[in-house]
Amino acid sequence: MKWLINHWEDVLIALGEHVAIALTALVIASVVSLAIGIWAAKNDRVYRVALAVSGFLYTIPTLAFLALLIPVVGLGKTNAIICMVAFSLMILIRNVATGIREVPEEVTDAARGMGMRAAEVLFRVELPLALPVIVAGLRIAAVTVISVTVVGAYVNAGGLGTLIFSGMSNDFAPKIWTGAITACALAVAADLSLARLETRLKARAV
Amino acid sequence: MFIEAWDYLAGHQAQFLAALWRHVALSASALVIAATIAVPLGVRLADSHGAALVAINAANIGRTLPSLAVLALVMPIMGTGFAPSLFALTLLALPPILINTYAAIRQVDPDIVDAARGMGMTALEIVRKVKLPIGLPVMFAGIRTAAVQVVSGAVLAAYIGGGGLGDFITAGIAMMALPQLLVGAIPATLLSLGTDALFASIQRALTPAGLRAR
């Protein structure tokens, strides 16, 4: 506790860094997945290939993935962010594609009948209706990314993992406690707030 | 680089096999202990409403916790080594198994359970002969998720002295020795992919023919 009172600024900086890295990865992953997911929703072959490849990436152990990237991109934030994007792809692509596929055909038919072009149907009908499912994927991805960021500290990406690793190497428990508990709290907070958004979107859709 | 990794592997065969064995032993023990606790608990919870709400919510929170944070939290309490790693990995494996077992049993059609009861089956028989076989595919999906998570988590156990393939990775990163790093990272990846494939095929085999998707 005494350590925390004297070093709360360090903890805040680590927390800020953690959120920044996780958000960067999440934004990149969302953009990529949205593009692939939309394509996959319209094309069965793309769907199968995209899920097989991203599923393969998802199964690789975090630390092994970070390690395998070292010969390619070296240490640092880039390494961790690539790893996190790769991990989130499976969940996000799957949910974007499923969300769009679940939109009833009558609805898209009606939209087309009203004279909407394909792009209009996608952006004004399919994506808005798929939003709750997409947000559900975003929620799992956010938790995954926050979790990977903790390990990312080992390849010098920064964040809350730095506190854990430095606590471990100096055998200093308060630092480990602070880093680990803050990381857990961050993951739970992200999960709960996205869950709330998800239910709100679902309620609006009905 | 891969040739160097191969040379390193050839020179450290005994050490590698010991690490691989420890990795498998650690993961398998954690999975078996977690399943032994979570499967009966999930079956019981499916019939009780108040307790289920608490337990399932707790499991959902448990599932969001970062693996490394859980391992790290165990260290100041239990120290380092095999036992603390086993404990932390078991904790990580519990939520997916519990959540899926609960969901698997809950989705069993109440009419089928009624019919079984009407045929004179006892509560235990209903669980053994009706609920478990029907719920098995969903339940096993949870065990598969947990298995992959545990094999991945066991890589991180190297930080708290759990041993396993993570030892090569952490040492490789610390000394920037790429061959050593690959000797840990590549087998760990293969082990994780192999575990997923193995459990996927068991899952297919376990699914009763009538429930299999065509």
Side-chain angles (χ1 to χ4, degrees):
Chain A
M1 208 56 203
K2 215 162 95 193
W3 180 85
L4 183 58
I5 292 163
N6 290 327
H7 294 83
W8 63 270
E9 277 176 318
D10 296 348
V11 179
L12 273 189
I13 291 170
L15 178 65
E17 230 174 24
H18 204 101
V19 173
I21 303 166
L23 268 182
T24 312
L26 213 53
V27 169
I28 298 174
S30 302
V31 173
V32 175
S33 306
L34 212 53
I36 300 178
I38 291 171
W39 191 18
K42 313 282 174 189
N43 185 325
D44 258 341
R45 259 233 333 265
V46 174
Y47 181 79
R48 275 198 302 273
V49 173
L51 278 200
V53 173
S54 56
F56 165 80
L57 293 174
Y58 185 69
T59 316
I60 302 175
T62 312
L63 185 59
F65 205 141
L66 292 166
L68 289 172
L69 284 172
I70 292 178
V72 190
V73 294
L75 296 167
K77 287 192 172 56
T78 320
N79 182 324
I81 289 175
I82 293 176
C83 176
M84 287 184 257
V85 171
F87 274 131
S88 339
L89 287 181
M90 198 267 275
I91 303 151
L92 288 171
I93 293 176
R94 187 190 60 196
N95 281 44
V96 171
T98 320
I100 293 178
R101 282 176 170 202
E102 276 174 0
V103 175
E105 210 166 324
E106 301 91 78
V107 177
T108 46
D109 258 1
R112 256 191 302 270
M114 284 169 67
M116 283 195 187
R117 282 170 291 121
E120 280 178 310
V121 175
L122 180 65
F123 286 106
R124 295 181 51 190
V125 179
E126 289 177 309
L127 283 180
L129 286 174
L131 204 57
V133 184
I134 298 176
V135 171
L138 205 59
R139 175 180 165 201
I140 308 174
V143 171
T144 308
V145 161
I146 290 170
S147 176
V148 175
T149 311
V150 183
V151 187
Y154 203 72
V155 294
N156 300 342
L160 292 165
T162 344
L163 298 175
I164 298 179
F165 286 123
S166 106
M168 280 178 171
S169 54
N170 300 322
D171 203 8
F172 187 60
K175 241 173 156 171
I176 303 178
W177 284 110
T178 310
I181 292 174
T182 316
C184 288
L186 184 62
V188 172
D191 185 56
L192 292 180
S193 49
L194 284 167
R196 178 167 292 182
L197 180 63
E198 197 186 321
T199 29
R200 206 182 290 169
L201 286 171
K202 264 189 204 143
R204 205 190 58 181
V206 174
Chain B
M1 192 169 64
F2 291 103
I3 299 168
E4 283 167 52
W6 188 255
D7 286 343
Y8 181 88
L9 180 60
H12 297 76
Q13 242 177 42
Q15 199 190 342
F16 172 77
L17 287 177
L20 179 65
W21 168 241
R22 200 166 154 108
H23 201 109
V24 173
L26 189 59
S27 312
S29 328
L31 193 65
V32 169
I33 298 174
T36 312
I37 299 171
V39 170
L41 191 63
V43 173
R44 283 291 293 274
L45 286 175
D47 288 327
S48 66
H49 298 285
L53 195 70
V54 176
I56 297 300
N57 276 322
N60 271 321
I61 291 175
R63 190 144 71 159
T64 64
L65 302 182
S67 314
L68 183 60
V70 174
L71 283 157
L73 284 175
V74 168
M75 185 181 150
I77 305 167
M78 293 179 68
T80 57
F82 190 86
S85 307
L86 180 61
F87 180 72
L89 291 175
T90 306
L91 281 183
L92 286 173
L94 285 173
I97 304 181
L98 185 67
I99 291 169
N100 276 52
T101 307
Y102 173 79
I105 303 296
R106 286 298 293 239
Q107 53 138 38
V108 175
D109 190 340
D111 288 345
I112 299 178
V113 177
D114 256 2
R117 201 172 290 128
M119 285 168 67
M121 285 195 190
T122 61
L124 194 67
E125 277 177 324
I126 293 177
V127 168
R128 254 195 20 237
K129 293 186 177 167
V130 179
K131 288 184 175 174
L132 280 181
I134 296 178
L136 208 55
V138 175
M139 200 177 89
F140 204 78
I143 297 184
R144 178 179 166 193
T145 309
V148 174
Q149 212 175 330
V150 163
V151 171
S152 288
V155 182
L156 300 173
Y159 291 122
I160 64 167
L165 294 167
D167 276 348
F168 290 104
I169 303 180
T170 51
I173 294 178
M175 296 184 287
M176 264 309 176
L178 293 181
Q180 195 173 352
L181 182 155
L182 291 179
V183 165
I186 295 174
T189 303
L190 294 177
L191 191 62
S192 182
L193 292 169
T195 306
D196 189 48
L198 174 73
F199 279 77
S201 59
I202 301 177
Q203 192 182 347
R204 261 195 303 278
L206 282 177
T207 308
L211 295 176
R212 232 169 270 173
R214 271 167 296 256

